[in-house]
Amino acid sequence: MGRIKTDNNHTRKEVIITSAAALFKEKGFKAASMRELADVVGVEAASLYNHIHSKSELLHIICFEVANRYMHTMDEIEAEATNSIQKIEKLLRFLITGMVLHYDEVYVSDREWKHLSEPYLSNFQSQRRTFRKRFAAIIEQGIAKKEIKKIDAPTAVLILLHAVSGIESWHRSKVKINGKELEENMITILVGGLKK
Amino acid sequence: MGRIKTDNNHTRKEVIITSAAALFKEKGFKAASMRELADVVGVEAASLYNHIHSKSELLHIICFEVANRYMHTMDEIEAEATNSIQKIEKLLRFLITGMVLHYDEVYVSDREWKHLSEPYLSNFQSQRRTFRKRFAAIIEQGIAKKEIKKIDAPTAVLILLHAVSGIESWHRSKVKINGKELEENMITILVGGLKK
DNA sequence: AAAATACACTAACACTCGTTAGCAATATAA
DNA sequence: TTATATTGCTAACGAGTGTTAGTGTATTTT
C-alpha cells in the first residue's frame, strides 16, 4: 500500500485517531479490529504501531479529548455572572453543537468508555461524576432562587445529558432537520420543562 | 460443577438468558464471553449449548422480548380514547417503569442491538423505526389540536426516548431516589416541556 | 428395576485478535 | 550524494474466541 495520507495540518497519528473514532462508533470498541482500522487508513495493521502504542491508547485519547473539552466549558460557564436558566441554556447549546460537530468522538466517549483500562477508567469516571455534580449544582441554585421547578436536580441532569446524546439517532436519520433547528427544538422542550 | 439451578418457575434456558442480559449489560455483547457466562451460571461453557443454539440467539431473544413489549403497549395506548398529552404521559410511565423493572434487558436491547445478525438486525431496526413513527404521530396530533407546543415531532421523540434510557445512570448511582419519585420528576420535566 | 432422556463433562477444532521482530523502502537532513 | 530518521511491509507469536464431537452420569419415565 502507500503511506497514510495527511493534509498538512494533521499528523499521521491524528488521522488514525479520527478514523478510529469513526470505526469505534460504527462497530463498537471491542468489535472493531486493528486490521479493519488499518484498512480504512490504507495500510497494514502492523504499520499502525509506528504511530500509536496500542488499541486502548486510541480509546483513551478519544475519551479524554471530549472530557477535557467538557470540563473546560464548565469552568467558563460557572464563572459567568448569569442566572441559572441562562447557564443551563448555554451548557445545553454547547453540548448540542459539540455533538453535531464532533459526533464520532462524543459518541464513542459516551458509549465505549467502559472499555478504558486503568488508570484511565477511574480517572474518566471521576471526571464524569464531577461534571454532573457541577451541573446539578447549577440547577439547585436555580431552584433556590425559584427560577426552576422544584425537582430532583441529579435526575434533571440525567435527563438533559441523555436527551442531548439522543442526537445520535438524528445523525443517522435521513430526513434531518438542520442543526440549528434541532438545537432550538431541544432548548424549547428541555428548558421549557425546567422553568417555573 | 453441578447443574444449573432453577426455581421451578423458570427453565434452565431462561436462567441462562437472564444471566446473559446482566453480563452483556456489564461488559458489552462482544466483550462478554461464553466462558464467563458459563461461570456465572455455574457450569462449563460447552454445557450451555445443551440449552441454547448460539451466543447470538441470546442477544436476539433479549432484544425482541423488549421490542415486542414496546409494540404491544403502543397498540394499547393508540386504541385508547384519550388526548395526546395523556397518551404521551402513559407511554412515558410505561417506558420508565419498564426500565426500572427489566433494567438489564432494556439496557442491552438499547445499546447492543447493533450486534444482532441478519435477519434479526433488519427486523429489529424496522420495529424501532415504526415505534418512533407512531410515537411521533401522537405528538403531531397533539400539535394539531394545540395541546402541544409547535415543535419538530421526531426530535421530541428522540429527546423523550433518550431521556428515559438515561435511567441507566440512575440505576448505577448510590444515592437513589425511589422509582416512583424518579418517574414523577421525569414526567414533570418532559411533559412540562411539551405542553403549551 | 430397566430404559430413555436430559444434562454436564473433557478435549479439541478453526479462527480472530492485538502486538512484536526484523527488514525494506521512502522521505528528510547533512 | 550520502546518512539518518520515518514509515511501511511480511511473518509469526500467544492468547482468547464460539462451537462441536464424543462420552459419562444423573434424573425422569416406563
Side-chain angles (χ1 to χ4, degrees):
Chain A
M1 311 212 175
R3 31 178 57 198
I4 297 175
K5 281 175 198 161
T6 66
D7 53 58
N8 293 348
N9 288 17
H10 299 89
T11 66
R12 286 177 168 73
K13 182 165 186 174
E14 286 167 342
V15 172
I16 294 175
I17 293 168
T18 304
S19 303
L23 189 66
F24 293 169
K25 176 207 67 188
E26 201 161 327
K27 303 234 171 185
F29 176 73
K30 272 284 175 182
S33 79
M34 295 303 275
R35 285 167 177 85
E36 284 178 287
L37 176 56
D39 254 21
V40 172
V41 172
V43 100
E44 288 299 318
S47 308
L48 295 173
Y49 290 84
N50 287 319
H51 306 280
I52 61 165
H53 294 75
S54 66
K55 187 186 183 188
S56 65
E57 186 200 7
L58 290 172
L59 183 60
H60 82 244
I61 288 176
I62 292 168
C63 289
F64 281 91
E65 199 176 286
V66 175
N68 292 336
R69 201 153 39 81
Y70 277 31
M71 276 306 181
H72 180 75
T73 303
M74 182 57 90
D75 289 342
E76 279 185 2
I77 290 179
E78 273 184 348
E80 288 176 4
T82 53
N83 68 33
S84 299
I85 289 283
Q86 287 169 321
K87 279 182 183 158
I88 291 168
E89 183 167 334
K90 184 148 186 187
L91 209 35
L92 283 179
R93 288 188 191 276
F94 158 76
L95 291 171
I96 295 166
T97 58
M99 188 79 183
V100 172
L101 252 50
H102 311 279
Y103 175 49
D104 295 344
E105 284 84 358
V106 175
Y107 182 92
V108 169
S109 151
D110 248 33
R111 317 276 281 221
E112 306 293 334
W113 61 265
K114 279 188 190 178
H115 299 104
L116 284 168
S117 46
E118 294 291 357
Y120 300 101
L121 178 59
S122 298
N123 195 326
F124 184 87
Q125 287 176 302
S126 148
Q127 283 202 233
R128 206 176 152 90
R129 261 194 309 275
T130 304
F131 182 83
R132 289 179 179 186
K133 275 187 189 153
R134 292 168 75 180
F135 199 157
I138 294 177
I139 292 179
E140 261 152 17
Q141 287 158 22
I143 297 175
K145 291 188 180 164
K146 316 214 182 216
E147 298 164 7
I148 294 180
K149 288 175 188 163
K150 228 174 158 231
I151 46 169
D152 182 60
T155 301
V157 170
L158 289 189
I159 292 178
L160 298 183
L161 291 181
H162 281 83
V164 170
S165 76
I167 302 180
E168 157 226 342
S169 319
W170 166 82
H171 222 278
R172 251 201 304 277
S173 141
K174 278 162 199 158
V175 282
K176 282 189 217 184
I177 63 176
N178 70 49
K180 198 64 199 167
E181 202 177 335
L182 174 78
E183 188 176 321
E184 296 310 327
N185 270 283
M186 297 192 78
I187 297 286
T188 301
I189 297 173
L190 294 175
V191 176
L194 296 178
K195 264 191 198 147
K196 206 158 187 177
Chain B
M1 309 212 177
R3 27 179 60 197
I4 297 176
K5 280 175 198 160
T6 66
D7 53 59
N8 293 348
N9 287 17
H10 299 89
T11 66
R12 287 180 166 72
K13 182 165 185 173
E14 286 167 341
V15 171
I16 294 174
I17 293 169
T18 304
S19 304
L23 189 65
F24 293 171
K25 175 208 69 188
E26 201 162 327
K27 302 234 172 187
F29 176 73
K30 272 285 174 180
S33 80
M34 295 303 276
R35 285 167 177 84
E36 283 179 287
L37 176 56
D39 255 20
V40 172
V41 172
V43 101
E44 288 299 316
S47 307
L48 296 173
Y49 290 85
N50 287 318
H51 305 280
I52 62 164
H53 294 76
S54 64
K55 185 185 182 186
S56 66
E57 187 201 5
L58 291 171
L59 182 61
H60 81 242
I61 288 176
I62 293 168
C63 288
F64 281 91
E65 198 176 288
V66 175
N68 292 337
R69 202 154 38 82
Y70 277 31
M71 277 306 182
H72 180 75
T73 302
M74 181 59 90
D75 288 343
E76 280 186 1
I77 289 179
E78 272 183 349
E80 290 175 3
T82 52
N83 68 33
S84 301
I85 289 283
Q86 287 169 320
K87 280 181 182 157
I88 291 168
E89 183 167 332
K90 184 149 186 186
L91 209 35
L92 283 179
R93 287 186 190 276
F94 159 75
L95 292 171
I96 294 166
T97 59
M99 188 80 183
V100 173
L101 253 51
H102 311 279
Y103 175 50
D104 295 344
E105 285 83 357
V106 175
Y107 183 91
V108 169
S109 152
D110 248 33
R111 316 276 281 223
E112 305 293 334
W113 61 265
K114 279 188 188 177
H115 300 105
L116 285 168
S117 47
E118 294 292 356
Y120 299 101
L121 178 60
S122 298
N123 195 325
F124 184 87
Q125 286 176 303
S126 148
Q127 284 202 233
R128 204 175 153 90
R129 260 194 309 275
T130 304
F131 182 83
R132 289 179 180 188
K133 274 187 187 151
R134 292 167 77 181
F135 200 158
I138 294 176
I139 292 179
E140 260 150 16
Q141 287 158 22
I143 297 175
K145 291 186 181 166
K146 318 216 181 216
E147 298 165 6
I148 293 179
K149 287 176 189 164
K150 230 176 155 230
I151 46 169
D152 183 61
T155 302
V157 170
L158 290 190
I159 290 178
L160 297 183
L161 290 180
H162 281 84
V164 170
S165 76
I167 301 180
E168 158 228 338
S169 318
W170 166 80
H171 223 280
R172 249 200 305 277
S173 141
K174 277 163 203 160
V175 282
K176 281 189 213 180
I177 62 176
N178 71 48
K180 199 65 198 165
E181 200 178 337
L182 174 79
E183 188 175 322
E184 296 309 328
N185 270 283
M186 297 193 76
I187 298 287
T188 302
I189 297 174
L190 294 173
V191 177
L194 295 177
K195 264 191 199 149
K196 207 161 184 172

